[in-house]
Amino acid sequence: MKSTGSTALLDEVRRRLSPERFAHVLRVAELARAVAPAVGVDPDKAYRAGLLHDLAKELPDRELLRLAPPENEVERAHPPVLHGRAGRKLAEGLGERDPEVLAAIEGHVVGVGPDFPLGMLIYVADLAEPGRGFNRDLLPLLESGRLLEAYRRAVERKVAYLESRGIPVHPRTREVQRALEAA
Ligand SMILES: [Fe+2]
């Protein structure tokens, strides 16, 4: 993997995304790196996972289905939910080898367990980056090291959003919710 912030990696990511999406992933990467020390995460891994997390976000459904064949009914009915697993494949193709970075990319859509700080950080940073204009309450939680609390709120908010739009909730997300109740 090229080193953090390498121009070559940035150019490669920029080339694959719309300007708006590229600006979003940069904000996620920078936010995740900035708060990483406060939540006990390696800043370099946080930056890479942020930069690479949405590599598959703008692909058409047929590409998502090819890169990440569906494994359940929700994935078959709603291919955009595959962009985490498909993004992991694309990140591997760009040379990313770190298993935590790859798992954080895969988990940023459906959620990760409460025992995985890097994955929780990317999930929260994706929702809380300043360009979103909402979820502002999550930033001070991250900055003060309260990652689990921020993550709990982020998961509940994403589920409420999906339910309000009639989008089915992924079985992995239901598992994550149960794990958070027990955490
Ligand atoms: Fe994102």
Side-chain angles (χ1 to χ4, degrees), residues 77-101:
H78 191 68
V81 78
L82 296 168
H83 85 266
R85 202 158 74 234
R88 175 195 182 115
K89 287 260 181 71
L90 297 178
E92 286 169 344
L94 286 183
E96 181 58 61
R97 293 288 175 265
D98 186 282
E100 286 198 339
V101 170

Side-chain angles (χ1 to χ4, degrees), residues 21 24-25 28 53-54 57 83 108 126 132:
R21 183 64 48 187
H24 161 71
V25 302
V28 172
H53 82 277
D54 264 349
K57 175 77 176 175
H83 85 266
H108 92 272
D126 186 27
R132 296 266 195 200

Side-chain angles (χ1 to χ4, degrees), residues 75-149:
E75 294 181 356
R76 261 184 288 279
H78 191 68
V81 78
L82 296 168
H83 85 266
R85 202 158 74 234
R88 175 195 182 115
K89 287 260 181 71
L90 297 178
E92 286 169 344
L94 286 183
E96 181 58 61
R97 293 288 175 265
D98 186 282
E100 286 198 339
V101 170
L102 294 171
I105 295 166
E106 176 166 355
H108 92 272
V109 182
V110 294
V112 299
D115 55 348
F116 182 27
L118 176 63
M120 292 196 287
L121 173 57
I122 296 305
Y123 188 101
V124 176
D126 186 27
L127 267 62
E129 62 95 345
R132 296 266 195 200
F134 48 89
N135 296 320
R136 289 272 163 79
D137 59 307
L138 301 180
L139 288 179
L141 291 177
L142 290 180
E143 287 160 353
S144 59
R146 289 145 77 191
L147 178 59
L148 185 61
E149 192 178 337

